[in-house]
């Protein structure tokens, strides 16, 4: 995408499927975009270029585009990668809130994030799929067996 377009324009592009052919985006599309940006606390950044956003702001911008499509199903691939703890927590809470209204497929290596979501787990290892209920997956024994390292109290135990 063009790094110079504004955050508002970037999110508005996600309304393209609803746009009339050969016409500009509607007033409704612009209002929906504005509402989504405001709901994520991005209104101060709406006129900034998408290329100038921090990693956390960019992650929120991508969530805004997903919301603007008005899809019932959303896929998030490593949504907290490269984020500081504060932004990771913010993104995690937003996605957890989205679970109330959307079907979400969440892909992550972040065990803490996955645990916070309180969802069952489809674990992929060496091309094999294994399904775990939430309570079964998030125990030291299961995690230690799956990851090949020792877990104590849900934390990796670094030995010598």
């Amino acid at each position: 995408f063009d790094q110079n377009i504004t955050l508002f324009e970037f999110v508005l592009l996600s309304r393209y499927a609803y746009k009339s052919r050969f016409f500009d985006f509607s007033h409704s599309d612009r209002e929906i975009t504005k509402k989504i940006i405001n709901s994520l606390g991005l209104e101060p950044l709406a006129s900034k270029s998408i290329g100038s956003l921090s990693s956390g702001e960019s992650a929120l911008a991508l969530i805004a585009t997903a919301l603007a499509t008005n899809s019932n199903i959303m896929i998030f691939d490593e949504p907290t990668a490269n984020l500081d703890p504060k932004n990771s927590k913010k993104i995690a809470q937003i996605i957890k809130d989205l679970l109330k209204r959307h079907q979400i497929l969440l892909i992550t290596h972040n065990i803490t994030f996955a645990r916070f979501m309180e969802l069952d787990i489809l674990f992929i290892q060496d091309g094999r799929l294994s399904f775990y209920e939430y309570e079964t997956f998030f125990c030291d024994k299961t995690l230690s067996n799956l990851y090949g390292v020792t877990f104590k109290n849900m934390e990796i135990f670094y030995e010598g």
Side-chain angles (χ1 to χ4, degrees):
F1 57 86
D2 182 349
Q3 294 282 323
N4 297 315
I5 66 170
T6 66
L7 170 65
F8 183 85
E9 293 166 330
F10 182 68
V11 177
L12 182 62
L13 285 172
S14 296
R15 298 291 305 161
Y16 190 82
Y18 301 96
K19 185 171 108 45
S20 296
R21 291 174 66 180
F22 307 113
F23 291 97
D24 198 5
F25 290 96
S26 70
H27 175 74
S28 175
D29 290 325
R30 292 177 186 283
E31 286 300 312
I32 289 167
T33 299
K34 184 177 178 181
K35 181 179 176 184
I36 290 167
I37 288 172
N38 291 346
S39 74
L40 294 173
L42 294 171
E43 62 274 11
L45 306 173
S47 62
K48 291 198 173 199
S49 73
I50 196 76
S52 70
L53 302 180
S54 72
S55 296
E57 294 163 346
S58 294
L60 287 171
L62 290 172
I63 290 174
T65 62
L67 291 170
T69 64
N70 200 29
S71 175
N72 292 328
I73 301 170
M74 296 183 184
I75 301 171
F76 292 98
D77 187 4
E78 300 289 356
T80 59
N82 303 313
L83 297 183
D84 62 35
K86 181 179 180 182
N87 281 314
S88 290
K89 181 180 178 183
K90 184 175 185 175
I91 297 297
Q93 188 59 60
I94 289 168
I95 293 172
K96 192 168 189 175
D97 291 344
L98 290 173
L99 282 167
K100 298 170 188 168
R101 300 178 306 281
H102 301 274
Q103 293 291 320
I104 292 182
L105 174 62
L106 178 62
I107 303 158
T108 187
H109 290 91
N110 184 331
I111 295 171
T112 304
F113 176 47
R115 186 174 185 206
F116 176 75
M117 290 293 118
E118 300 179 301
L119 300 170
D120 294 337
I121 303 293
L122 181 62
F123 190 81
I124 304 172
Q125 186 175 46
D126 299 327
R128 292 183 310 239
L129 305 175
S130 302
F131 177 79
Y132 294 88
E133 291 181 350
Y134 174 80
E135 297 82 13
T136 305
F137 185 81
F138 291 104
C139 69
D140 291 339
K141 182 179 179 184
T142 301
L143 292 173
S144 295
N145 287 338
L146 291 172
Y147 288 100
V149 295
T150 303
F151 279 79
K152 290 187 180 177
N153 299 320
M154 291 292 304
E155 298 284 333
I156 297 173
F157 182 71
Y158 294 97
E159 301 172 37

